[in-house]
Amino acid sequence: VQLQASGGGSVQPGESLRLSCAASGRTFGSANMGWFRQTPGKSRELVAAIIWGGINTYYANSVKGRFTISRDNANNTVYLQMNSLKPEDTAVYYCAAGGTYFRGDYNPIYWGQGTLVTVSS
């Protein structure tokens, strides 16, 4: 199983980016999928998750109202639309799939490689 993340880059505050994560090797139709991020010296943080086959979503408080997670089951891909980006959103973003989710605690099985998002003026 491979998760290929893309879409990171450098933007100015207030701008948008869309991250994509294409899965291969198995179909994640109803599996949980999500995005984490990590900055140097900090633990990996769950940013958003789409769970129970897409019935529900989770967002960290810091990104609510600005980020949107979605999935395209036909293409086995999960997206993270990031709007109104702030400097504090700067991090390496990782996609993840499979595993368990319970009340904001997501423990995925599969991880993608990171993609760097830099928000700076």
Side-chain angles (χ1 to χ4, degrees), residues 21-51:
C21 178
S24 60
R26 61 157 282 187
T27 300
F28 287 96
S30 61
N32 299 323
M33 300 185 81
W35 290 92
F36 291 74
R37 67 186 180 188
Q38 188 170 24
T39 54
K42 293 188 176 181
S43 58
R44 203 167 287 189
E45 168 196 24
L46 176 61
V47 175
I50 187 161
I51 54 181

Short mmCIF file of all heavy atoms in Angstrom, two decimals, residues 21-51:
data_model
loop_
_atom_site.label_atom_id
_atom_site.label_comp_id
_atom_site.label_asym_id
_atom_site.label_seq_id
_atom_site.Cartn_x
_atom_site.Cartn_y
_atom_site.Cartn_z
N CYS A 21 -3.90 13.20 -1.74
CA CYS A 21 -3.24 11.97 -1.32
C CYS A 21 -3.88 10.82 -2.08
O CYS A 21 -5.04 10.47 -1.83
CB CYS A 21 -3.38 11.78 0.18
SG CYS A 21 -2.65 10.25 0.79
N ALA A 22 -3.12 10.28 -3.00
CA ALA A 22 -3.61 9.17 -3.82
C ALA A 22 -3.13 7.85 -3.24
O ALA A 22 -1.93 7.67 -3.01
CB ALA A 22 -3.11 9.33 -5.25
N ALA A 23 -4.06 6.95 -3.03
CA ALA A 23 -3.74 5.65 -2.47
C ALA A 23 -3.66 4.60 -3.57
O ALA A 23 -4.43 4.63 -4.52
CB ALA A 23 -4.79 5.25 -1.45
N SER A 24 -2.74 3.68 -3.40
CA SER A 24 -2.62 2.58 -4.34
C SER A 24 -2.30 1.31 -3.55
O SER A 24 -1.80 1.37 -2.44
CB SER A 24 -1.53 2.85 -5.37
OG SER A 24 -0.28 3.02 -4.74
N GLY A 25 -2.61 0.20 -4.14
CA GLY A 25 -2.35 -1.08 -3.49
C GLY A 25 -3.55 -1.70 -2.83
O GLY A 25 -3.59 -2.90 -2.57
N ARG A 26 -4.52 -0.88 -2.49
CA ARG A 26 -5.80 -1.37 -1.99
C ARG A 26 -6.81 -0.24 -2.09
O ARG A 26 -6.44 0.92 -2.24
CB ARG A 26 -5.73 -1.89 -0.55
CG ARG A 26 -5.33 -0.86 0.48
CD ARG A 26 -5.80 -1.24 1.88
NE ARG A 26 -7.20 -0.96 2.07
CZ ARG A 26 -7.82 -1.08 3.24
NH1 ARG A 26 -7.17 -1.53 4.29
NH2 ARG A 26 -9.10 -0.79 3.36
N THR A 27 -8.07 -0.61 -1.99
CA THR A 27 -9.14 0.38 -2.05
C THR A 27 -9.54 0.76 -0.63
O THR A 27 -9.77 -0.12 0.20
CB THR A 27 -10.35 -0.18 -2.80
OG1 THR A 27 -9.95 -0.53 -4.13
CG2 THR A 27 -11.46 0.85 -2.87
N PHE A 28 -9.65 2.05 -0.38
CA PHE A 28 -10.00 2.52 0.96
C PHE A 28 -11.44 3.00 1.06
O PHE A 28 -11.75 3.86 1.86
CB PHE A 28 -9.06 3.66 1.37
CG PHE A 28 -7.66 3.20 1.68
CD1 PHE A 28 -6.67 3.26 0.72
CD2 PHE A 28 -7.35 2.69 2.92
CE1 PHE A 28 -5.39 2.82 1.00
CE2 PHE A 28 -6.07 2.25 3.22
CZ PHE A 28 -5.09 2.31 2.25
N GLY A 29 -12.30 2.37 0.29
CA GLY A 29 -13.69 2.80 0.15
C GLY A 29 -14.34 3.36 1.40
O GLY A 29 -14.80 4.48 1.42
N SER A 30 -14.39 2.56 2.46
CA SER A 30 -15.08 3.02 3.66
C SER A 30 -14.12 3.21 4.83
O SER A 30 -14.53 3.45 5.96
CB SER A 30 -16.16 2.02 4.05
OG SER A 30 -15.58 0.77 4.32
N ALA A 31 -12.83 3.11 4.55
CA ALA A 31 -11.85 3.23 5.62
C ALA A 31 -11.69 4.67 6.06
O ALA A 31 -11.95 5.61 5.30
CB ALA A 31 -10.50 2.69 5.13
N ASN A 32 -11.25 4.83 7.27
CA ASN A 32 -10.94 6.17 7.77
C ASN A 32 -9.71 6.71 7.03
O ASN A 32 -8.79 5.96 6.71
CB ASN A 32 -10.63 6.13 9.26
CG ASN A 32 -11.80 5.63 10.07
OD1 ASN A 32 -12.95 5.91 9.76
ND2 ASN A 32 -11.51 4.85 11.10
N MET A 33 -9.72 8.00 6.78
CA MET A 33 -8.57 8.65 6.16
C MET A 33 -8.39 10.02 6.79
O MET A 33 -9.37 10.60 7.29
CB MET A 33 -8.75 8.78 4.64
CG MET A 33 -8.93 7.46 3.93
SD MET A 33 -9.00 7.59 2.13
CE MET A 33 -7.25 7.71 1.75
N GLY A 34 -7.17 10.53 6.77
CA GLY A 34 -6.98 11.81 7.42
C GLY A 34 -5.68 12.48 7.06
O GLY A 34 -4.86 11.94 6.30
N TRP A 35 -5.50 13.64 7.64
CA TRP A 35 -4.28 14.43 7.47
C TRP A 35 -3.76 14.83 8.84
O TRP A 35 -4.52 15.28 9.70
CB TRP A 35 -4.58 15.70 6.65
CG TRP A 35 -4.88 15.44 5.22
CD1 TRP A 35 -6.10 15.25 4.66
CD2 TRP A 35 -3.92 15.35 4.15
NE1 TRP A 35 -5.96 15.04 3.31
CE2 TRP A 35 -4.65 15.10 2.97
CE3 TRP A 35 -2.54 15.47 4.08
CZ2 TRP A 35 -4.02 14.95 1.73
CZ3 TRP A 35 -1.92 15.32 2.85
CH2 TRP A 35 -2.66 15.07 1.70
N PHE A 36 -2.46 14.65 9.01
CA PHE A 36 -1.75 15.09 10.20
C PHE A 36 -0.74 16.14 9.76
O PHE A 36 -0.42 16.26 8.58
CB PHE A 36 -1.00 13.93 10.84
CG PHE A 36 -1.86 12.88 11.47
CD1 PHE A 36 -2.57 11.97 10.71
CD2 PHE A 36 -1.95 12.78 12.86
CE1 PHE A 36 -3.37 10.99 11.29
CE2 PHE A 36 -2.73 11.79 13.46
CZ PHE A 36 -3.44 10.90 12.68
N ARG A 37 -0.22 16.88 10.73
CA ARG A 37 0.88 17.78 10.43
C ARG A 37 1.87 17.78 11.59
O ARG A 37 1.51 17.44 12.72
CB ARG A 37 0.39 19.20 10.16
CG ARG A 37 -0.23 19.93 11.34
CD ARG A 37 -0.81 21.27 10.89
NE ARG A 37 -1.42 22.01 12.00
CZ ARG A 37 -2.11 23.13 11.85
NH1 ARG A 37 -2.30 23.65 10.62
NH2 ARG A 37 -2.63 23.73 12.89
N GLN A 38 3.09 18.14 11.26
CA GLN A 38 4.14 18.13 12.27
C GLN A 38 5.12 19.26 12.01
O GLN A 38 5.51 19.51 10.86
CB GLN A 38 4.87 16.78 12.25
CG GLN A 38 5.85 16.59 13.39
CD GLN A 38 6.37 15.17 13.47
OE1 GLN A 38 6.38 14.43 12.49
NE2 GLN A 38 6.79 14.76 14.66
N THR A 39 5.51 19.93 13.09
CA THR A 39 6.54 20.95 13.03
C THR A 39 7.72 20.48 13.88
O THR A 39 7.54 19.64 14.78
CB THR A 39 6.02 22.30 13.54
OG1 THR A 39 5.47 22.13 14.85
CG2 THR A 39 4.94 22.85 12.63
N PRO A 40 8.90 21.01 13.63
CA PRO A 40 10.08 20.57 14.38
C PRO A 40 9.90 20.69 15.89
O PRO A 40 9.44 21.72 16.39
CB PRO A 40 11.19 21.51 13.87
CG PRO A 40 10.75 21.88 12.50
CD PRO A 40 9.26 21.98 12.57
N GLY A 41 10.22 19.63 16.59
CA GLY A 41 10.15 19.65 18.04
C GLY A 41 8.78 19.36 18.61
O GLY A 41 8.61 19.33 19.83
N LYS A 42 7.81 19.15 17.74
CA LYS A 42 6.44 18.87 18.21
C LYS A 42 5.98 17.52 17.72
O LYS A 42 6.47 17.01 16.71
CB LYS A 42 5.48 19.96 17.75
CG LYS A 42 5.73 21.32 18.37
CD LYS A 42 4.61 22.29 18.02
CE LYS A 42 4.80 23.62 18.73
NZ LYS A 42 3.69 24.57 18.42
N SER A 43 5.03 16.95 18.41
CA SER A 43 4.48 15.68 17.98
C SER A 43 3.51 15.89 16.82
O SER A 43 3.03 17.00 16.60
CB SER A 43 3.77 15.00 19.15
OG SER A 43 2.75 15.84 19.66
N ARG A 44 3.26 14.82 16.12
CA ARG A 44 2.36 14.89 14.97
C ARG A 44 0.94 15.16 15.47
O ARG A 44 0.46 14.55 16.41
CB ARG A 44 2.42 13.57 14.20
CG ARG A 44 2.00 13.67 12.77
CD ARG A 44 2.41 12.41 11.99
NE ARG A 44 3.84 12.36 11.75
CZ ARG A 44 4.41 11.46 10.96
NH1 ARG A 44 3.66 10.55 10.36
NH2 ARG A 44 5.71 11.45 10.79
N GLU A 45 0.26 16.10 14.77
CA GLU A 45 -1.06 16.55 15.20
C GLU A 45 -2.10 16.16 14.15
O GLU A 45 -1.88 16.39 12.95
CB GLU A 45 -1.04 18.08 15.36
CG GLU A 45 -2.38 18.74 15.53
CD GLU A 45 -2.36 20.24 15.31
OE1 GLU A 45 -1.45 20.73 14.59
OE2 GLU A 45 -3.25 20.93 15.82
N LEU A 46 -3.22 15.61 14.60
CA LEU A 46 -4.31 15.31 13.67
C LEU A 46 -4.98 16.63 13.27
O LEU A 46 -5.46 17.38 14.13
CB LEU A 46 -5.33 14.38 14.32
CG LEU A 46 -6.58 14.07 13.48
CD1 LEU A 46 -6.20 13.37 12.18
CD2 LEU A 46 -7.56 13.21 14.28
N VAL A 47 -5.02 16.89 11.99
CA VAL A 47 -5.62 18.11 11.47
C VAL A 47 -7.08 17.87 11.07
O VAL A 47 -7.96 18.64 11.42
CB VAL A 47 -4.82 18.62 10.25
CG1 VAL A 47 -5.51 19.83 9.63
CG2 VAL A 47 -3.40 18.95 10.65
N ALA A 48 -7.30 16.82 10.32
CA ALA A 48 -8.64 16.52 9.83
C ALA A 48 -8.75 15.04 9.51
O ALA A 48 -7.75 14.41 9.12
CB ALA A 48 -8.97 17.34 8.59
N ALA A 49 -9.93 14.51 9.68
CA ALA A 49 -10.17 13.11 9.35
C ALA A 49 -11.56 12.96 8.75
O ALA A 49 -12.48 13.71 9.10
CB ALA A 49 -10.04 12.23 10.59
N ILE A 50 -11.66 12.04 7.84
CA ILE A 50 -12.96 11.70 7.27
C ILE A 50 -13.19 10.25 7.61
O ILE A 50 -12.40 9.37 7.29
CB ILE A 50 -13.01 11.99 5.76
CG1 ILE A 50 -14.42 11.79 5.21
CG2 ILE A 50 -11.97 11.21 4.98
CD1 ILE A 50 -14.62 12.48 3.86
N ILE A 51 -14.26 10.01 8.34
CA ILE A 51 -14.40 8.74 9.03
C ILE A 51 -15.71 8.06 8.67
O ILE A 51 -16.63 8.68 8.15
CB ILE A 51 -14.29 8.95 10.55
CG1 ILE A 51 -15.30 10.00 11.02
CG2 ILE A 51 -12.88 9.37 10.92
CD1 ILE A 51 -15.26 10.29 12.50
#
